[in-house]
Amino acid sequence: AWHTCPEDGEIRGSNPCSEYMFLDNTACNLASMNLLTFYKDGEFQVEDYVHAIRLWTITLEISVMMAQFPSPEIAKLSYEFRTLGLGYANIGGLLMNMGLAYDSPEGRAMTGALTAIMTGVAYSTSAEMAGELGPFAGYARNAKHMLRVIRNHRTAAYGADEGYEGLAVKPVPLDHTHCPDPRLIELAMAAWDEALVLGEKHGYRNAQTTVLAPTGTIGLVMDCDTTGIEPDFALVKHKKLAGGGYFKIINRSVPAALEALGYTPAQIEEIVAYAVGHGTLGNAPVINTGSLMQKGFSQAEIEKVEAGLASAMDIRHLFNQWTLGHEFCTNILGIETDKLNDPDFNLLAHIGFSRADIEAANDHILGTMTIEGAPHLKPEHLPVFDCANQCGSKGTRYLSVESHITMMAAAQSFISGAISKTINMQGDTSIADCQAAYELSWSLGVKANALYRDGSKLSQPLMSALVEDDDEAADVLEHGAPHDKAQVLAEKIIEKVVVKEVARGRVKLPQRRKGYTQKAIVGGHKVYLRTGEYEDGQLGEIFIDMHKEGAGFRAMMNNFAIAISVGLQYGVPLEEFVDAFTFTKFEPAGQVQGNEAIKNATSILDYIFRELAVSYLDRTDLAHVKPTGASFDDLGHGHHEEGVANVSELSDTAAERSLEVLKQISSTGYLRKR
């Protein structure tokens, strides 16, 4: 229905993020604008916005000639149809700065108006370029379809409920009544008028012009508070410091929104402090400088705690022997060394503070991570600060599934392609709820959506096992906010892996061990990789030799191999090294000769860990040529396969014994687990 080029085939799918929907074997380059940069002095700078749209439409058109494509077919069709991927980011940040709720008629109307302007201006610019350079190659045979699509966009921009051509599902029209800036409505209609008139005269240079991409990476570069069309994920962010550690900052849109809503500077300061904390023990309830001194703390120990508050997630993390000193904990506080070394030991509880005391102090010092319950904040203003998930352990509000979908629908009517967006759902969401979300999306004309149910990527048995001996952690996992759950899980996993697994000590390899040697040439440089294995076939050491390199580089590679080997023997999973070092880029790099599975590498380390991943982890996704043969754990296909009979008289016990013997006398890596 919204396909601009149906004469050339159906739209059968999208890219993985789902924003680009067009013909098979086509692609588009993406560009996104940070909407918040156009909001100055309490007003959206619409002239600057239009100028940026025109500039980026021309830039993306130029990029069609400069882009590199993965196949000749994609290059040819992308050149012929010249699809563009202009979009925006930070709509959530813009709405909050304006004091508008994401889930409100005003918020949706603002989003619809800005989207309508973007695509209308992009198409009119494309038509102007067609007047100079000619339309895209497939325009003539698709002209009537494309102009019908443009007319439908224009009808939606006029806010009409009727008058659409060839649509089984009506789009959501632009809401003229609730848009907080009437100028945007006028400009949106004018943009689509011009896009249609110029298109009828010249055609269009591009078959599509806009999509709404996730902008996860470039959103960081553009310093966006929110990505794509998403709302904010949390009101308080943790920024990583270059020298190590973290510090908390309130989403910068929060103070701006509070100011727009009429709060005084003093009130804003108190509300922000409620969310991010006061950062000092000074006037904290119960656990403060005075109460700690009564427990035996001196000014020196209190200063040590104060120094760590800026980057702390919980004050309990600072009350330990590493912050306070082992001598102080044992001699002054009288705590036994065994307790201090116990990862579950709670020093504050040990010296007499209750869980309620600790929580109250935490809220005051480190903040509640939410503004729900903040002083001065009016209840009617809470929706402005709603996020995709609950904020902090005290937060209860979050955006509904319907609010995500209706926001997408408000923009979809004015997008050439589709929208990449996550619809956040609670952990107890049912199959019926998911079905209802898809049905609502379809009924509103949304082309694609992605449902994410909280906790769906976590193994519930694993979560239970990690907290089986910690009632407090179990309570957080059951009742806490998503980021609190994530923090508890991270701590417990680290405790399990580092404390309980790595702390077991180094498991050395047998004196005589299996392994294999692989010679290859990477970018013209010979590389010899040798491995050593435990009795069960697990990798335990590697050696890397590059004979013609300089002494310094050879020494570095040898010591790198030793470091990896020591890590493996201390229990660091090979998977971690593979994830860390594959796709690293430095010379020598390029074509790989002499390895049957790896044909290209971006660096020596990329080659080494691709080879180890294929050989020991069966990571064929990292191989360019999949190794031949069956894996040890492959299932058979019956008595006869391709005319070869299986040896059916071999018993199960004998087969298992033979397999064990084979594993014992051969190198797992050499056989590539086959």
Side-chain angles (χ1 to χ4, degrees):
W2 294 94
H3 191 2
T4 57
C5 299
E7 295 295 332
D8 289 276
E10 297 179 339
I11 295 176
R12 303 195 299 180
S14 73
N15 67 322
C17 294
S18 80
E19 75 270 18
Y20 180 63
M21 290 188 175
F22 198 58
L23 298 170
D24 290 352
N25 290 315
T26 61
C28 75
N29 289 325
L30 301 175
S32 296
M33 300 172 287
N34 182 353
L35 291 177
L36 189 55
T37 61
F38 300 103
Y39 187 66
K40 299 173 183 175
D41 301 322
E43 186 176 79
F44 192 84
Q45 307 298 311
V46 69
E47 294 83 5
D48 295 349
Y49 183 52
V50 170
H51 178 73
I53 295 166
R54 289 178 57 81
L55 182 64
W56 275 106
T57 302
I58 296 169
T59 303
L60 287 172
E61 160 61 22
I62 295 171
S63 78
V64 173
M65 301 295 293
M66 302 171 63
Q68 294 180 325
F69 300 97
S71 73
E73 294 83 0
I74 295 175
K76 180 176 181 295
L77 290 178
S78 297
Y79 176 79
E80 290 180 357
F81 290 95
R82 316 184 76 81
T83 48
L84 311 182
L86 180 61
Y88 57 68
N90 214 6
I91 187 69
L94 173 66
L95 295 178
M96 192 177 290
N97 271 265
M98 296 177 70
L100 301 176
Y102 189 88
D103 183 16
S104 68
E106 294 77 14
R108 289 186 284 272
M110 187 73 184
T111 301
L114 293 175
T115 312
I117 292 169
M118 177 179 70
T119 307
V121 171
Y123 270 127
S124 64
T125 305
S126 179
E128 288 182 67
M129 290 190 290
E132 297 292 329
L133 304 171
F136 66 90
Y139 177 73
R141 60 181 174 271
N142 288 288
K144 64 177 182 179
H145 304 293
M146 187 158 186
L147 289 171
R148 173 181 56 80
V149 170
I150 298 296
R151 286 194 296 270
N152 282 336
H153 282 306
R154 177 178 174 274
T155 302
Y158 270 79
D161 293 320
E162 303 293 337
Y164 297 98
E165 304 173 41
L167 296 181
V169 178
K170 293 180 183 178
V172 174
L174 183 59
D175 186 349
H176 292 203
T177 304
H178 291 100
C179 185
D181 190 342
R183 299 175 307 149
L184 302 181
I185 299 296
E186 295 298 325
L187 182 56
M189 293 189 293
W192 282 104
D193 286 341
E194 186 176 23
L196 180 59
V197 170
L198 292 176
E200 290 174 336
K201 182 178 181 180
H202 304 299
Y204 299 93
R205 184 66 175 165
N206 315 96
Q208 287 189 354
T209 58
T210 59
V211 301
L212 285 183
T215 71
T217 303
I218 64 169
L220 295 174
V221 178
M222 295 191 294
D223 200 23
C224 295
D225 284 327
T226 64
T227 57
I229 198 174
E230 298 284 0
D232 211 342
F233 188 81
L235 294 179
V236 177
K237 307 286 198 306
H238 292 85
K239 292 272 188 177
K240 189 173 184 179
L241 297 170
Y246 295 83
F247 73 99
K248 292 191 296 295
I249 59 168
I250 192 81
N251 179 342
R252 59 188 171 180
S253 299
V254 173
L258 291 170
E259 185 178 353
L261 293 170
Y263 292 91
T264 66
Q267 290 173 327
I268 294 172
E269 186 177 349
E270 286 190 56
I271 294 171
V272 170
Y274 177 85
V276 299
H278 295 78
T280 179
L281 293 167
N283 296 314
V286 188
I287 303 175
N288 50 48
T289 303
S291 64
L292 289 173
M293 284 187 167
Q294 292 176 6
K295 301 285 186 181
F297 283 69
S298 68
Q299 189 61 39
E301 281 75 43
I302 290 173
E303 288 176 359
K304 291 177 183 178
V305 174
E306 290 274 2
L309 289 175
S311 59
M313 305 287 187
D314 191 304
I315 60 172
R316 284 168 290 195
H317 299 163
L318 297 173
F319 286 85
N320 54 51
Q321 60 178 322
W322 295 283
T323 302
L324 302 172
H326 182 80
E327 204 171 300
F328 169 77
C329 294
T330 54
N331 295 345
I332 306 300
L333 299 182
I335 305 171
E336 299 171 0
T337 299
D338 289 345
K339 285 187 177 180
L340 291 173
N341 291 331
D342 183 354
D344 297 324
F345 178 64
N346 186 334
L347 190 148
L348 287 172
H350 179 83
I351 60 176
F353 294 110
S354 68
R355 181 176 174 181
D357 295 338
I358 297 170
E359 286 182 357
N362 250 331
D363 290 346
H364 179 88
I365 299 168
L366 303 181
T368 61
M369 315 295 282
T370 182
I371 62 170
E372 292 180 52
H376 313 300
L377 189 66
K378 299 174 182 178
E380 60 267 27
H381 292 157
L382 281 171
V384 173
F385 305 98
D386 285 348
C387 295
N389 291 290
Q390 296 168 342
C391 294
S393 58
K394 294 184 180 299
T396 59
R397 298 179 61 90
Y398 58 89
L399 289 165
S400 67
V401 170
E402 290 74 18
S403 68
H404 291 280
I405 296 172
T406 52
M407 178 60 84
M408 293 176 72
Q412 182 65 82
S413 305
F414 309 104
I415 291 291
S416 301
I419 303 169
S420 177
K421 181 179 179 348
T422 302
I423 297 174
N424 299 86
M425 309 181 90
Q426 293 300 296
D428 58 356
T429 299
S430 67
I431 294 174
D433 294 330
C434 295
Q435 179 180 340
Y438 281 122
E439 289 176 347
L440 177 61
S441 299
W442 168 80
S443 69
L444 296 176
V446 175
K447 294 181 183 178
N449 64 26
L451 304 184
Y452 176 70
R453 184 169 60 84
D454 184 37
S456 60
K457 286 189 176 182
L458 297 172
S459 168
Q460 214 64 39
L462 171 62
M463 292 170 65
S464 300
L466 287 172
V467 299
E468 60 186 354
D469 298 322
D470 189 336
D471 293 338
E472 188 171 324
D475 183 61
V476 172
L477 287 183
E478 186 175 355
H479 304 293
H483 80 273
D484 293 323
K485 295 178 184 179
Q487 180 179 327
V488 167
L489 277 178
E491 291 172 356
K492 290 299 177 181
I493 289 171
I494 290 170
E495 175 189 323
K496 180 177 177 59
V497 174
V498 176
V499 177
K500 296 180 181 177
E501 297 296 334
V502 177
R504 62 181 177 151
R506 182 178 182 182
V507 180
K508 293 192 175 183
L509 288 156
Q511 295 297 322
R512 184 179 179 88
R513 55 256 203 183
K514 300 172 295 176
Y516 71 93
T517 302
Q518 172 73 56
K519 175 187 174 183
I521 300 174
V522 179
H525 296 257
K526 288 183 181 178
V527 181
Y528 292 86
L529 171 66
R530 284 193 284 273
T531 69
E533 302 171 3
Y534 290 102
E535 292 91 337
D536 62 358
Q538 293 294 311
L539 180 64
E541 68 179 359
I542 63 170
F543 296 94
I544 305 170
D545 289 328
M546 299 181 67
H547 293 298
K548 292 188 178 180
E549 297 301 324
F553 188 80
R554 281 207 316 272
M556 185 179 296
M557 293 305 293
N558 288 337
N559 283 281
F560 174 79
I562 292 171
I564 296 297
S565 301
V566 171
L568 291 168
Q569 291 166 31
Y570 269 102
V572 178
L574 176 59
E575 291 92 334
E576 295 296 326
F577 290 125
V578 170
D579 290 341
F581 295 112
T582 48
F583 303 104
T584 52
K585 293 184 179 182
F586 58 85
E587 296 294 334
Q591 185 178 359
V592 176
Q593 299 171 284
N595 189 303
E596 64 181 18
I598 315 299
K599 299 302 179 184
N600 198 284
T602 56
S603 67
I604 293 296
L605 296 190
D606 178 56
Y607 162 71
I608 294 293
F609 287 97
R610 281 178 184 269
E611 165 60 28
L612 295 175
V614 172
S615 298
Y616 286 98
L617 304 176
D618 202 22
R619 286 283 301 275
T620 55
D621 58 304
L622 293 175
H624 301 103
V625 179
K626 184 177 180 179
T628 58
S631 300
F632 285 129
D633 54 358
D634 276 357
L635 296 175
H637 300 283
H639 271 273
H640 294 277
E641 184 176 352
E642 298 180 358
V644 180
N646 290 333
V647 184
S648 57
E649 60 271 16
L650 185 65
S651 68
D652 291 342
T653 304
E656 291 175 4
R657 189 163 61 250
S658 298
L659 187 59
E660 289 301 319
V661 171
L662 176 63
K663 289 181 177 179
Q664 289 171 15
I665 64 174
S666 64
S667 166
T668 304
Y670 183 78
L671 293 177
R672 299 189 183 280
K673 296 194 78 175
R674 279 161 170 74

